């Protein structure tokens, strides 16, 4: 009996070891080849990227988060692409396009001779498939995913028409100038219809596109491996392999990077940025992102229904101190709702420099010489929220100086989203929010976040702000295709908005990445995706 | 013995059922809408409604639970809302990673703990005893995440002997590579448990070492090592075994912090993400698996009692 038990437990233990070691990784027979992941291993040029968390899907139509977007980006192309370092547009899978005079019909002329990684030819049908799969509930492959961005990206589409093999027309329900920028978003990626038909819902883990990198494998929790597409229409990438690894802990990711097993990392702890910059082994790149962090004033309630009170809060918060000391310059000071990287931006607006005296004056004018007390909702964390609790505490302390008492209530992110998008009667007077832009069109900030048409549940104007004059400017800017005229309209809208102060804007978060010096030619993109197609690995 | 094991297995069914109901209720009572979290704030009301319908969230709670249970009984744990994969597939890969981590840590904790405990007991109040018990006290008090980061910075970066994180070198798989990656997380996880086992072993051995049969064994001229490990430890093992069982269960659940620090792709990490995303099918499936392994470990410990002490019969 004893021997029997001993043997059984030995076998069980051995089985557990083997089971664990082989778990889900049978696809690659290679043995451990050493710790050094990055750079050139043998003749292989490889970049190992440390992400903040694991991607949840590689189906670009289902992407809703940065990590998935970053890992999926290189597998696919879009008809229109953002230029290297801006959100200006350039041809992608469409060689050129024209727009009808009434602004309703977009005709795209497609690149010929392009094939998907599985050999399926790229053509007008594939474009139609990629869009209709998301927006047509009766499409045979509509049930292969949840398309969170479908309505946002293609909400204005009436019909997608195949004109011939390499020409496709998209008709809109009304003129809508930001549409072209939408066509450069991840949700407008062109997927292989044959692959979606083959894998169904599992397309999200078997992605097939036309992009510069081909999907090799995805080991859950461990890594996503891509390899270069030798047949890429725009020339094969110089890097052979890109590997995305989720390393959740910021400090652990940095240690792993410095130990040499990662070549490229995101979200460097602010305290460590200066040290990395000083090192001659690494390149640190920074760029203000398409992001804004703000306090939403609930204008349906006292006291923030008064413009003077909203302005007073903007004057009373020492925003510069928050950016420089608390955030350690991992963001740039905001002068309005629109980040400077987005066109349409102007700094010719009312400036709210830190001025508590002016704030007290404005409060007195508004009838609150002794200040007031309000509820203030804060999430514990959240996408784009930076350091929500520390920032809330700083704001609370600043506002106490001018007599405004804020009762902070903290919620877990999932709960928080639920509550701030809930019924207006239950909203507090003021709460924190942030927004990460999708396509670099000012409409994607100003209209969605501040137009009177965009009160929840239609949009994200969560403070229920409404200004007829602004609304008219924003609607007008949607209808015309003349860029210079649109710029003028947005500048005008910005001036009105900043004066009216529907929010207290704090900062625009900076994207910071660090990479080994051997990685050359990498450029940050405002949308936050990583493009490795023009990057090389050069070891000295 | 067989009837005993069968009876214990049967008794575990209501336990698991109870656990699943509890988890189901807690998850559904927590505020936060899985559809909203999954589709993000940019989704439209119709899309949200459609997804809620698809997930069955528009049904009353008891119907949702019965449906889920019915599927589980047919071996279908459902599909993860967030990760868009079968829950059983996710659990299979993730749980084996946790199992490996726990097994490695347990082995380490038991060997180090028992040897340290017996040695300390044999030389009570010696310098060795004091040093090892002080070390145990410190080891028990060290926060896991701090120890993990410290080991990463020292043995992973300053003196790069072991890999800093993950379960494989990038782009590779293989048993040796995995075992090599296992060292730091296993040491981190084992430290606290080893400390508890060491202290328990010491006091337990101290109790038996003064008894007559030990003196008899020594009088027979047996070597001190045989006396300690064959005679004393054997009789001191029951309380130690209880602690080991508890610790292994604890390690299984407590691996989550270590998994986070070392990006070890285990079930704890999966569960935490699942909870934050209100991924009901995933969390329910994971809790069920963890609960089942607790039950099995407990059973194993009870069976081992009989093996260690023949006086115990079932």
């Amino acid at each position: 009996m004893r021997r029997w038990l001993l043997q059984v437990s030995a076998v069980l233990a051995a089985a557990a070891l083997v089971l664990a070691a082989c778990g889900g990784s049978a696809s690659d027979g290679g043995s451990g080849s050493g710790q050094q992941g990055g750079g050139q291993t043998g003749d292989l040029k490889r970049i190992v990227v440390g992400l903040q968390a694991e991607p949840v899907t590689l189906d670009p139509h289902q992407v809703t988060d940065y990590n998935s977007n970053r890992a999926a980006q290189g597998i696919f192309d879009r008809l229109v692409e953002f230029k290297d370092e801006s959100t200006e547009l350039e041809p992608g899978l469409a060689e050129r396009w024209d727009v009808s005079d009434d602004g309703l019909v977009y005709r795209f002329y497609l690149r010929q001779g392009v094939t998907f990684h599985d050999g399926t030819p790229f053509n007008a049908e594939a474009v139609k498939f990629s869009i209709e799969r998301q927006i047509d509930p009766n499409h045979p492959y509509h049930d292969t995913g949840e398309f969170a961005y479908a309505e946002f990206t293609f909400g204005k589409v009436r019909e997608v028409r195949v004109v011939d093999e390499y020409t496709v027309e998209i008709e809109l329900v009304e003129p809508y100038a930001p549409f072209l920028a939408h066509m450069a978003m991840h949700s407008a990626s062109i997927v292989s219809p044959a692959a979606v038909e083959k894998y169904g819902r599992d397309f999200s883990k078997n992605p097939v596109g036309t992009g510069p990198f081909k999907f090799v494998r995805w080991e859950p929790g461990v890594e996503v491996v891509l390899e270069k597409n030798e047949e890429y229409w725009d020339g094969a990438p110089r890097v052979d392999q890109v590997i995305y690894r989720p390393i959740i802990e910021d400090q652990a990711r940095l240690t792993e990077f410095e130990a040499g097993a990662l070549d490229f990392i995101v979200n460097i702890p602010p305290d460590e940025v200066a040290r990395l910059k000083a090192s001659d082994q690494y390149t640190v790149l920074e760029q203000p992102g398409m992001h804004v962090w703000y306090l939403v004033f609930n204008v349906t309630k006292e006291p923030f229904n008064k413009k003077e009170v909203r302005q007073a809060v903007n004057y009373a918060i020492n925003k510069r101190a928050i950016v420089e000391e608390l955030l350690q310059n991992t963001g740039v000071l905001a002068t309005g709702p629109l980040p400077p990287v987005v066109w349409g931006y102007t700094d010719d607006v009312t400036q709210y420099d830190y001025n508590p005296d002016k704030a007290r004056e404005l409060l007195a004018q508004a009838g609150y010489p002794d200040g007031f007390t309000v509820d203030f909702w804060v999430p514990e964390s959240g996408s784009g929220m930076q350091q929500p609790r520390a920032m809330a505490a700083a704001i609370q302390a600043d506002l106490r100086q001018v007599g405004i008492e804020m009762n902070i209530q903290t919620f877990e992110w999932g709960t928080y989203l639920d509550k701030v998008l809930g019924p207006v009667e239950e909203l507090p007077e003021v709460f924190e929010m942030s927004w990460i832009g999708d396509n670099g069109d000012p409409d994607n900030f100003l209209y969605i976040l501040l137009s009177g048409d965009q009160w929840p549940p239609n949009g994200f104007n969560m403070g229920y702000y409404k200004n007829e004059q602004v609304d008219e400017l924003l609607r007008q800017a949607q209808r015309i295709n003349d860029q210079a005229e649109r710029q003028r309209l947005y500048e005008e809208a910005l001036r009105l908005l900043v004066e009216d102060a529907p929010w207290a804007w704090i900062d625009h978060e900076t994207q910071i990445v660090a990479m080994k010096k051997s990685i050359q030619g990498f450029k940050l993109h405002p949308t936050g995706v990583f493009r490795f197609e023009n990057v090389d690995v050069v070891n000295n | 013995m067989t009837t005993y094991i069968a009876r214990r297995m049967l008794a575990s069914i209501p336990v698991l059922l109870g656990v699943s109901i509890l988890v189901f209720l807690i998850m559904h009572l927590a505020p936060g809408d899985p559809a909203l979290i999954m589709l993000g704030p940019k989704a439209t009301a119709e899309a949200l409604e459609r997804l809620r319908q698809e997930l069955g969230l528009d049904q009353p709670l008891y119907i949702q639970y019965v449906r889920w249970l019915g599927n589980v009984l047919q071996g279908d744990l459902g599909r993860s809302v967030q990760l868009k994969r079968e829950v059983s597939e996710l659990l299979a890969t993730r749980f084996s990673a946790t199992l490996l981590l726990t097994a490695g840590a347990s082995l380490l904790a038991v060997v180090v703990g028992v040897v340290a405990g017996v040695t300390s007991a044999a030389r009570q109040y010696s310098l060795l005893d004091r040093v090892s018990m002080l070390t145990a006290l410190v080891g028990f008090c060290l926060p896991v995440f701090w120890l993990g980061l410290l080991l990463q910075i020292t043995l992973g970066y300053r003196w790069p002997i072991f890999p800093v994180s993950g379960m494989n070198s990038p782009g590779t798989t293989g048993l040796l590579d995995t075992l090599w990656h296992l060292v730091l997380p296993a040491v981190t996880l084992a430290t606290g448990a080893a400390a508890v086992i060491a202290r328990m072993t010491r006091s337990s051995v101290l109790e038996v070492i003064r008894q007559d049969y030990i003196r008899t064994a020594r009088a027979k001229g047996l070597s001190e090592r045989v006396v300690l490990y064959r005679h004393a430890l054997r009789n001191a093992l029951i309380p130690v075994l209880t602690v080991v069982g508890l610790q292994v269960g604890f390690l299984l659940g407590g691996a989550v912090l270590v998994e986070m620090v070392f990006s070890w792709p285990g079930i704890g990490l999966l569960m935490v993400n699942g909870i934050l995303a209100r991924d009901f099918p995933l969390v329910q499936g994971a809790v069920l698996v963890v609960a089942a392994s607790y039950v099995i470990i407990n059973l194993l410990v009870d069976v081992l009692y009989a093996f260690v002490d023949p006086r115990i019969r079932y």
Side-chain angles (χ1 to χ4, degrees):
Chain A
M1 153 74 193
R2 284 174 198 172
R3 178 157 299 168
W4 171 81
L5 245 176
L6 208 68
Q7 279 166 351
V8 168
S9 25
V11 168
L12 274 178
L17 275 172
V18 171
L19 185 78
C22 306
S25 60
S27 50
D28 185 341
S31 62
S33 65
Q35 177 183 3
Q36 297 306 315
Q40 260 171 310
T41 25
D43 294 335
L44 200 67
K45 287 185 182 182
R46 176 159 81 183
I47 298 177
V48 184
V49 181
L51 292 178
Q52 263 179 298
E54 165 150 49
V56 297
T57 175
L58 294 178
D59 178 351
H61 300 162
Q62 298 195 61
V63 162
T64 56
D65 67 295
Y66 259 144
N67 299 298
S68 304
N69 199 18
R70 284 169 171 160
Q73 154 80 15
I75 306 172
F76 299 92
D77 288 316
R78 291 132 292 267
L79 294 188
V80 191
E81 301 280 358
F82 295 119
K83 282 189 180 164
D84 248 358
E85 283 175 289
S86 73
T87 51
E88 283 175 54
L89 302 170
E90 63 181 16
L93 284 175
E95 282 177 320
R96 61 198 168 87
W97 54 86
D98 41 49
V99 186
S100 66
D101 291 339
D102 58 6
L104 283 176
V105 181
Y106 287 69
R107 179 183 271 239
F108 295 94
Y109 301 92
L110 307 183
R111 215 169 275 283
Q112 303 191 9
V114 177
T115 51
F116 289 100
H117 304 147
D118 61 354
T120 312
F122 161 73
N123 54 24
E125 284 295 344
V127 176
K128 187 176 162 79
F129 181 96
S130 293
I131 297 175
E132 288 187 344
R133 170 195 184 209
Q134 301 179 62
I135 57 173
D136 177 5
N138 299 317
H139 192 274
Y141 298 97
H142 183 65
D143 61 355
T144 51
E146 287 83 29
F147 309 111
Y149 271 74
E151 177 65 26
F152 173 78
T153 321
F154 304 114
K156 296 271 198 275
V157 172
R158 185 198 300 277
E159 196 190 355
V160 184
R161 286 190 293 267
V162 173
V163 178
D164 61 42
E165 178 90 16
Y166 295 108
T167 314
V168 69
E169 265 183 9
I170 299 176
E171 187 181 335
L172 306 185
V173 290
E174 59 187 336
Y176 184 60
F179 179 69
L180 208 54
H182 286 195
M183 290 305 286
M185 284 172 55
H186 57 82
S187 41
S189 297
I190 308 300
V191 302
S192 160
V196 174
E197 285 162 22
K198 179 173 164 193
Y199 295 112
R201 292 181 77 93
D202 286 338
F203 180 76
S204 71
K205 51 178 181 173
N206 297 284
V208 179
T210 57
F213 292 95
K214 288 196 275 195
F215 172 75
V216 180
R217 69 164 188 277
W218 176 1
E219 278 177 46
V222 181
E223 60 192 9
V224 172
V225 181
L226 309 183
E227 67 179 18
K228 74 168 161 188
N229 173 9
E230 296 280 2
E231 270 90 57
Y232 189 52
W233 57 267
D234 201 18
R238 278 167 282 182
V239 181
D240 297 294
Q241 215 178 37
V242 178
I243 297 180
Y244 293 94
R245 313 200 89 188
I247 315 264
I248 299 102
E249 247 285 318
D250 284 346
Q251 191 62 47
R253 196 180 319 112
L254 181 66
T255 310
E256 186 83 294
F257 175 66
E258 293 190 86
L262 295 172
D263 306 315
F264 186 107
I265 53 168
V266 296
N267 281 67
I268 300 141
D271 298 340
E272 307 276 2
V273 174
R275 189 170 62 79
L276 284 186
K277 275 188 190 164
S279 157
D280 56 3
Q281 298 178 53
Y282 312 118
T283 313
V284 178
L285 290 185
E286 292 177 81
Q287 187 191 56
M290 290 200 296
H291 165 272
V292 59
W293 195 107
Y294 53 98
L295 295 184
V296 182
F297 299 126
N298 178 354
V299 301
T300 65
K301 271 190 195 172
E302 287 206 18
F304 293 116
N305 54 352
K306 293 204 175 68
K307 178 169 101 179
E308 291 78 12
V309 178
R310 301 194 297 259
Q311 289 178 328
V313 172
N314 269 292
Y315 280 116
I317 300 172
N318 192 345
K319 299 175 184 176
R320 189 170 298 279
I322 292 178
V323 171
E324 286 174 6
E325 280 149 43
L326 208 154
L327 299 174
Q328 307 216 41
N329 288 314
T330 54
V332 295
L333 195 66
T335 57
L338 196 64
V341 283
V342 175
W343 63 269
Y345 171 83
T346 173
D347 57 7
D348 178 22
V349 291
T350 313
Q351 302 292 325
Y352 295 96
D353 295 326
Y354 178 53
N355 189 344
D357 292 330
K358 175 107 180 175
R360 281 186 209 102
E361 210 175 285
L362 283 164
L363 285 176
Q365 268 179 39
Y368 300 98
D370 305 319
F372 49 79
T373 301
V374 289
D375 285 335
F376 178 23
W377 283 1
V378 176
E380 280 175 356
S381 62
S383 162
M385 293 307 302
Q386 299 179 288
Q387 299 180 38
R389 282 186 289 186
M391 291 165 86
I395 290 168
Q396 184 189 41
D398 283 342
L399 293 185
R400 188 170 289 149
Q401 301 299 317
V402 298
I404 302 176
E405 204 52 57
M406 311 190 70
N407 296 323
I408 294 181
Q409 280 176 278
T410 313
F411 302 92
E412 183 267 329
W413 180 238
T415 311
Y416 189 78
L417 274 184
D418 217 25
K419 292 189 76 107
V420 294
L421 290 168
V424 57
E425 308 79 47
E426 291 168 23
L427 281 184
E429 286 87 354
V430 58
F431 53 97
E432 291 183 354
M433 237 326 124
S434 74
W435 181 258
I436 300 172
D438 301 290
N439 54 30
D441 197 289
D443 185 75
N444 183 231
F445 277 84
L446 301 183
Y447 182 75
I448 288 196
L449 300 177
L450 287 162
S451 143
D453 307 341
Q454 294 288 304
W455 289 0
N458 295 328
F460 302 99
N461 183 349
M462 298 182 209
Y464 295 84
Y465 172 74
K466 188 168 180 63
N467 178 331
E468 295 288 356
Q469 232 180 326
V470 170
D471 287 357
E472 187 44 42
L473 287 166
L474 294 178
R475 256 178 260 147
Q476 223 180 319
Q478 285 185 339
R479 283 195 296 264
I480 52 172
N481 275 308
D482 177 354
Q483 177 91 0
E485 181 58 13
R486 289 188 73 203
Q487 169 89 27
R488 197 192 60 75
L489 292 169
Y490 286 123
E491 285 182 12
E492 185 56 36
L494 261 184
R495 272 187 282 272
L496 292 170
L497 281 170
V498 174
E499 169 67 19
D500 218 10
W503 306 340
W505 33 81
I506 306 294
D507 80 311
H508 307 292
E509 190 177 17
T510 309
Q511 289 193 69
I512 305 178
V513 297
M515 68 201 83
K516 287 184 181 158
K517 274 268 190 297
S518 55
I519 298 180
Q520 296 187 352
F522 180 84
K523 292 169 182 159
L524 270 174
H525 196 267
T527 54
V529 298
F530 301 143
R531 296 166 160 188
F532 292 109
E533 50 265 41
N534 297 319
V535 168
D536 204 354
V537 178
V538 184
N539 277 5
N540 298 318
Chain B
M1 174 71 86
T2 325
T3 34
Y4 172 73
I5 294 177
R7 212 172 55 229
R8 283 286 301 265
M9 290 293 210
L10 276 178
S12 67
I13 293 175
V15 172
L16 293 180
L17 211 62
V19 167
S20 75
I21 293 178
L22 209 64
V23 174
F24 192 86
L25 284 179
I26 291 173
M27 283 298 288
H28 282 79
L29 289 178
D33 173 1
L36 182 63
I37 296 171
M38 180 177 162
L39 294 183
K42 285 171 191 169
T44 57
E46 299 98 88
L48 287 171
E49 202 40 54
R50 210 169 39 239
L51 180 62
R52 281 187 204 115
Q53 249 173 38
E54 223 177 279
L55 297 174
L57 294 173
D58 52 344
Q59 302 289 325
L61 217 52
Y62 67 94
I63 292 189
Q64 288 186 45
Y65 178 73
V66 170
R67 266 193 199 167
W68 176 77
L69 194 64
N71 289 336
V72 168
L73 290 177
Q74 294 167 39
D76 176 13
L77 287 172
R79 202 177 159 86
S80 157
V81 179
Q82 188 200 14
L83 298 171
K84 306 180 208 305
R85 286 168 186 255
E86 294 299 319
V87 170
S88 47
E89 175 198 332
L90 285 165
L91 291 182
T93 50
R94 296 304 191 92
F95 190 61
S96 51
T98 296
L99 216 57
L100 177 65
L101 179 57
T102 312
S106 307
L107 195 70
L108 209 63
V110 169
V111 171
V112 172
V114 168
V115 170
V118 172
T119 317
S120 281
R123 309 212 173 96
Q124 199 186 2
Y125 302 135
S126 69
L127 186 66
L128 185 77
D129 177 27
R130 284 173 202 276
V131 169
S132 74
M133 283 307 111
L134 186 69
T135 315
L137 188 66
V138 172
F140 178 69
C141 297
L142 285 184
V144 162
F145 55 89
W146 183 81
L147 179 63
L149 287 173
L150 201 71
L151 285 176
Q152 284 180 331
I153 291 170
T154 51
L155 297 181
Y157 171 55
R158 195 59 46 88
W159 302 284
I161 304 168
F162 296 105
V164 175
S165 69
M167 202 166 135
N168 302 100
S169 305
T172 60
T173 55
L175 185 61
L176 280 181
D177 187 48
T178 302
L179 289 179
W180 186 45
H181 278 75
L182 177 65
V183 176
L184 292 189
V187 169
T188 309
L189 189 58
T191 303
V196 175
I197 293 172
R199 294 189 70 89
M200 194 66 202
T201 309
R202 177 179 179 271
S203 60
S204 184
V205 169
L206 277 179
E207 249 170 58
V208 293
I209 213 163
R210 291 178 227 282
Q211 293 185 14
D212 290 345
Y213 71 92
I214 297 289
R215 194 183 311 133
T216 310
R218 282 185 178 136
K220 280 196 316 191
L222 293 177
S223 78
E224 190 61 19
R225 191 150 57 130
V226 173
V227 171
L228 277 176
Y229 282 92
R230 288 277 292 274
H231 295 258
L233 180 61
R234 188 71 189 278
N235 283 285
L237 217 50
I238 290 286
V240 174
L241 201 61
T242 310
V243 172
V244 169
L246 282 174
Q247 288 295 322
V248 170
F250 174 76
L251 290 185
L252 203 63
V256 56
L257 283 176
V258 175
E259 286 176 8
M260 279 189 81
V261 171
F262 287 94
S263 294
W264 190 264
I267 202 169
L269 207 54
L270 190 69
M271 251 194 314
V272 169
N273 287 333
I275 291 168
L276 291 179
R278 306 288 187 276
D279 194 337
F280 298 144
L282 179 61
V283 175
Q284 279 151 215
V287 169
L288 202 64
V289 169
V290 172
S293 26
Y294 261 95
V295 169
I296 290 171
I297 288 171
N298 266 313
L299 179 61
L300 219 59
V301 167
D302 285 351
V303 172
L304 278 177
Y305 283 154
F307 167 65
V308 169
D309 186 347
R311 284 169 301 183
I312 298 177
R313 293 247 161 262
Y314 297 114

